Amino acid sequence: MFLTSSAKPIDQELRESVDKIERQSPSLSVLAARSFRYRVTQAVVQVTISESRKFNILEEFLLRAGIELQPPPTEDELAAILGLDSIFIRSTTANLQGLNILTAASNYQIQITAQGREFYNIGSLPQEPKTKEIFAIFDPLTENILFDYSPLSNLKIGNIPDLTEAININNIFNFSSVSIEELQQLVKNSNLGLHIPDEGNLVTSCGVVASEILYQKISIFIIFDSIENQIKLEARRGNKIIQDASSVLNRIVGESQVLLQSLFELTDEEIRYQCEEILRHKNVEVENRIENIRKQVRENALLASQKQQSSDSETKNFESGTAVQLRGSKISQELEKILDSANSQILIYSPWISRKVVNNEFIKRLQKLAEKGVWIIIGHGISKSEEAEERPIPPQVEEQLRAIRTREGLPAVQIFWLGGSHAKEVIVDQKVHLLGSNNLLSYRADWRLWDESVYKVTLPEQVKEAYEFYAKRFQAKAKQLWSQAIQNRDTTLATEAICLCGSLSLEESALKIIQQYSWLELYPIWLHMVSQGLRSKQISPSSAYFPVALSLLSQISSDAAYIESVREAWKKVIGRIAYLSQDTALKLVNDSWAEFTYLSITQQSIRSPAQFISKYIMARQ
């Protein structure tokens, strides 16, 4: 039986969080969510910190004299050179000797020690060590040690399950076993400002004063991702995801399914059944759309019969927003016609893709569309995992599709395995929708196949519903690509994410990510992506993100490795904006003229924004 939300093992206090997760990411379904308590070790520790300070002018002069002058001068000689009373020199040398920076010489010469040379090279002096009490917390679930100035509170958690009864974790930790090197790194990572080697602050020792065991609370969610067709555990405190704890839990689950049974009273069979039902339910959504369209077709046919419409009037009625059924060879003919009519976007889902349809002629058709500003998004797959596909996309076909480029050289076709669906659908410019039983990218229908049918729909509500269904799946894929790209600082994945954002009209989201992570190497790629949208007029020249994009020029150096790409990209972008609206282009350039000049986006011979606009305005392409 497919469990409703109320029947799932979800704690009442977590239902709002569950609703939020599923609302924000339609591909995610929460199978269970419960809160647990577990024990952590907290210790009061005393750390010793060695600090240092910058040399003052006199100290630096004394050390420099001891290093560079041969033979080294005496205290009295330095006093005479500087015109100071000898008492000031002797007081300073005595202080430096006490810190083992200088050594006492019988002839009062300035003699620097080996340690003194090291400190001179880094420009600082050691100070008297200090001690400070802080709190060390060992969290066995995250396997981390954290240091803080404030202690954890022993929460009054109430009667909730103890996580340690289901998971064998060691909640006792011996802080004295931590080496000084490990200690220094842990304190540094805790951002307490105690161990900062570059500033001369070093933690040199640590001793435990007292320790205790405390209870903490954590919420664990079992989440099924229908796009990836996988289950994951997510640990949270409030709305914050605890990544380290999530990783530990997923590792344990990977080793044994017993954890899910003991924590949530769900068997492996029950979980598998729930996942299958979720996937089936998502396919039912597609079938329901088809049934609604069949109903509309029947209503149109009845209306046509009643009014005795001619074929010409039928066509007119269809174009105003109806649905018609296609069979046989008309399917392929209409597919080609609709693809060729695209102005900005083509979205396709097909369980299979074959050379029979995606042949050289089809590739040339898509390349021609890409050159006029059209993005193409393709999802494919019917199995629950990509490895389980019996008819995977031929590598040569996928390679040809990925080789289709925009005029700026970006991938114009975004193709992804999504899986778990037998839908066959094409949506063009969010205005025309083809769907039905014919495998549009794997079989070319002809006049003999009257058992195959496709509906051509221009009903705004139905087209919008279909588009939003797939757009959410591709948006989830874009989010996944960004996550992987950011984690590995992978420019190739980031480029793929930017192009997918462009194809889904998410240009602003992509720009925000570039800003957030200061990944300016992606800046010219974003500009090239925007050029494609301007070419198709999908992007408005007055879009609010253009001034934001221009503001990033102040963060770019004139000798950046990617500066030439930035220069050429802005010339094209401004040219395309100027073609659509010269006033808008003039204002954008005028507001950023200083940056255009500094970064040599404009040439020295061009003395005004108006001249720049007139030079780079592009004719309609």
Side-chain angles (χ1 to χ4, degrees):
M1 178 180 177
F2 183 57
L3 297 180
T4 62
S5 178
S6 59
K8 294 177 182 178
I10 297 174
D11 289 352
Q12 185 62 38
E13 65 175 1
L14 299 177
R15 291 195 178 278
E16 185 176 341
S17 296
V18 169
D19 292 341
K20 185 176 181 180
I21 291 170
E22 295 182 337
R23 185 171 61 251
Q24 290 180 340
S25 301
S27 64
L28 303 182
S29 299
V30 179
L31 306 182
R34 298 186 69 183
S35 294
F36 299 89
R37 61 175 180 161
Y38 69 104
R39 285 164 283 186
V40 302
T41 302
Q42 176 171 269
V44 180
V45 296
Q46 188 176 75
V47 292
T48 302
I49 305 115
S50 172
E51 297 181 336
S52 62
R53 64 168 175 80
K54 297 290 184 181
F55 290 113
N56 61 38
I57 295 175
L58 181 55
E59 289 167 339
E60 185 175 4
F61 185 84
L62 290 176
L63 295 180
R64 186 174 178 182
I67 293 172
E68 297 181 359
L69 299 180
Q70 293 298 328
T74 65
E75 294 172 339
D76 290 337
E77 288 172 340
L78 283 175
I81 293 171
L82 296 173
L84 296 174
D85 193 310
S86 296
I87 192 171
F88 291 110
I89 302 298
R90 292 193 181 98
S91 174
T92 302
T93 55
N95 183 48
L96 294 175
Q97 288 167 3
L99 296 172
N100 195 31
I101 301 298
L102 296 179
T103 183
S106 57
N107 57 3
Y108 300 105
Q109 284 183 326
I110 303 298
Q111 294 186 0
I112 190 168
T113 65
Q115 178 176 299
R117 289 178 181 273
E118 291 180 7
F119 279 105
Y120 177 77
N121 289 333
I122 63 175
S124 63
L125 278 175
Q127 300 295 292
E128 288 294 326
K130 296 181 180 179
T131 59
K132 187 176 288 289
E133 284 192 354
I134 58 176
F135 295 89
I137 301 103
F138 171 66
D139 189 327
L141 190 55
T142 63
E143 300 179 343
N144 288 332
I145 302 174
L146 300 176
F147 288 88
D148 205 336
Y149 287 121
S150 302
L152 285 178
S153 300
N154 195 8
L155 301 178
K156 295 181 180 179
I157 296 174
N159 187 25
I160 61 175
D162 191 331
L163 187 62
T164 56
E165 293 179 0
I167 304 177
N168 183 22
I169 53 177
N170 178 23
N171 49 43
I172 305 297
F173 187 78
N174 181 10
F175 287 100
S176 61
S177 65
V178 180
S179 69
I180 186 62
E181 291 79 15
E182 292 173 320
L183 172 71
Q184 290 173 339
Q185 190 60 49
L186 289 168
V187 173
K188 182 179 179 181
N189 293 344
S190 297
N191 297 316
L192 300 181
L194 298 178
H195 184 77
I196 311 176
D198 291 342
E199 297 181 8
N201 296 345
L202 303 174
V203 171
T204 57
S205 66
C206 172
V208 176
V209 177
S211 65
E212 60 180 329
I213 301 296
L214 303 176
Y215 274 105
Q216 293 296 295
K217 182 179 180 180
I218 197 165
S219 301
I220 302 176
F221 297 73
I222 301 181
I223 299 175
F224 175 61
D225 187 332
S226 61
I227 291 179
E228 297 297 322
N229 193 24
Q230 68 177 14
I231 291 173
K232 64 179 180 180
L233 266 65
E234 194 170 87
R236 293 187 173 216
R237 286 196 179 95
N239 291 323
K240 183 180 180 182
I241 299 173
I242 312 300
Q243 295 290 0
D244 290 339
S246 300
S247 298
V248 171
L249 290 169
N250 282 295
R251 187 189 70 212
I252 295 173
V253 169
E255 296 169 355
S256 172
Q257 291 289 336
V258 176
L259 175 64
L260 299 183
Q261 297 177 26
S262 56
L263 292 182
F264 300 96
E265 300 176 356
L266 284 175
T267 66
D268 190 28
E269 290 75 16
E270 288 173 325
I271 292 172
R272 184 182 300 111
Y273 180 75
Q274 289 296 309
C275 295
E276 290 174 352
E277 285 296 298
I278 290 168
L279 291 174
R280 187 187 66 79
H281 178 70
K282 292 187 180 297
N283 278 324
V284 167
E285 291 182 38
V286 177
E287 295 298 332
N288 287 341
R289 287 206 310 275
I290 295 176
E291 183 55 38
N292 288 337
I293 289 168
R294 288 194 186 107
K295 180 180 178 182
Q296 186 67 50
V297 169
R298 289 194 294 269
E299 291 175 356
N300 286 349
L302 179 61
L303 183 63
S305 175
Q306 291 173 344
K307 294 185 177 182
Q308 297 182 344
Q309 293 175 315
S310 66
S311 59
D312 290 341
S313 62
E314 284 179 8
T315 301
K316 183 177 180 181
N317 185 43
F318 165 75
E319 296 300 338
S320 67
T322 59
V324 294
Q325 188 177 41
L326 306 172
R327 288 186 179 276
S329 60
K330 288 186 178 180
I331 296 174
S332 297
Q333 294 170 8
E334 199 63 37
L335 174 62
E336 292 174 358
K337 178 181 175 182
I338 290 173
L339 291 179
D340 290 342
S341 72
N343 291 315
S344 60
Q345 182 197 64
I346 296 171
L347 189 153
I348 303 174
Y349 193 93
S350 178
W352 305 285
I353 300 174
S354 73
R355 287 195 189 94
K356 190 167 187 177
V357 175
V358 186
N359 51 26
N360 290 337
E361 181 184 349
F362 189 86
I363 294 294
K364 289 178 182 178
R365 172 174 271 109
L366 295 189
Q367 180 62 61
K368 185 177 179 180
L369 288 165
E371 289 175 0
K372 76 172 188 177
V374 178
W375 292 106
I376 300 104
I377 320 169
I378 300 175
H380 64 96
I382 192 170
S383 298
K384 295 179 181 178
S385 69
E386 192 168 5
E387 295 74 18
E389 291 288 354
E390 295 182 1
R391 294 164 57 186
I393 180 173
Q396 183 183 359
V397 172
E398 183 172 6
E399 183 179 342
Q400 285 182 299
L401 287 169
R402 292 189 181 279
I404 296 172
R405 300 279 155 170
T406 68
R407 293 195 179 188
E408 289 71 35
L410 294 181
V413 176
Q414 319 307 315
I415 180 168
F416 302 99
W417 180 89
L418 298 181
S421 176
H422 54 75
K424 302 96 176 177
E425 305 188 53
V426 176
I427 304 169
V428 174
D429 292 338
Q430 301 180 43
K431 295 178 180 178
V432 184
H433 181 201
L434 287 182
L435 77 163
S437 62
N438 182 251
N439 293 303
L440 298 169
L441 292 189
S442 63
Y443 198 86
R444 184 177 292 277
D446 60 33
W447 62 272
R448 292 166 293 182
L449 296 174
W450 288 103
D451 58 328
E452 297 283 3
S453 66
V454 166
Y455 295 96
K456 178 181 177 181
V457 183
T458 58
L459 298 163
E461 286 301 317
Q462 276 83 352
V463 176
K464 179 182 178 183
E465 181 184 358
Y467 176 77
E468 289 180 350
F469 176 81
Y470 286 107
K472 287 176 181 177
R473 298 194 72 182
F474 284 110
Q475 286 167 12
K477 180 60 70 173
K479 183 178 179 181
Q480 179 188 19
L481 283 172
W482 273 122
S483 177
Q484 294 172 347
I486 291 166
Q487 182 178 359
N488 301 303
R489 207 70 175 181
D490 189 321
T491 304
T492 301
L493 284 178
T495 300
E496 196 172 356
I498 288 173
C499 292
L500 184 53
C501 284
S503 65
L504 294 169
S505 299
L506 298 174
E507 298 87 3
E508 186 173 8
S509 297
L511 182 62
K512 286 181 178 178
I513 291 174
I514 292 171
Q515 282 183 286
Q516 181 181 353
Y517 293 95
S518 300
W519 203 344
L520 293 177
E521 293 86 351
L522 301 178
Y523 185 63
I525 298 171
W526 183 87
L527 291 172
H528 291 322
M529 175 265 285
V530 167
S531 288
Q532 180 79 338
L534 288 168
R535 180 179 292 113
S536 65
K537 298 183 181 179
Q538 181 69 15
I539 293 177
S540 168
S542 58
S543 296
Y545 47 74
F546 281 125
V548 177
L550 283 165
S551 71
L552 293 182
L553 289 174
S554 63
Q555 301 178 29
I556 297 176
S557 169
S558 60
D559 58 359
Y562 50 89
I563 187 62
E564 192 57 41
S565 295
V566 172
R567 291 168 181 153
E568 293 306 312
W570 266 119
K571 291 173 185 176
K572 291 182 179 180
V573 168
I574 292 298
R576 297 194 186 285
I577 291 175
Y579 174 77
L580 298 172
S581 172
Q582 289 197 40
D583 289 342
T584 301
L586 186 60
K587 185 178 187 310
L588 289 172
V589 176
N590 191 59
D591 291 346
S592 302
W593 188 244
E595 287 78 12
F596 271 49
T597 303
Y598 170 70
L599 295 175
S600 299
I601 297 174
T602 181
Q603 299 171 353
Q604 289 184 351
S605 59
I606 298 177
R607 300 186 178 277
S608 70
Q611 277 187 290
F612 183 88
I613 297 296
S614 64
K615 180 175 177 63
Y616 292 107
I617 187 170
M618 293 186 176
R620 187 174 185 177
Q621 297 185 31

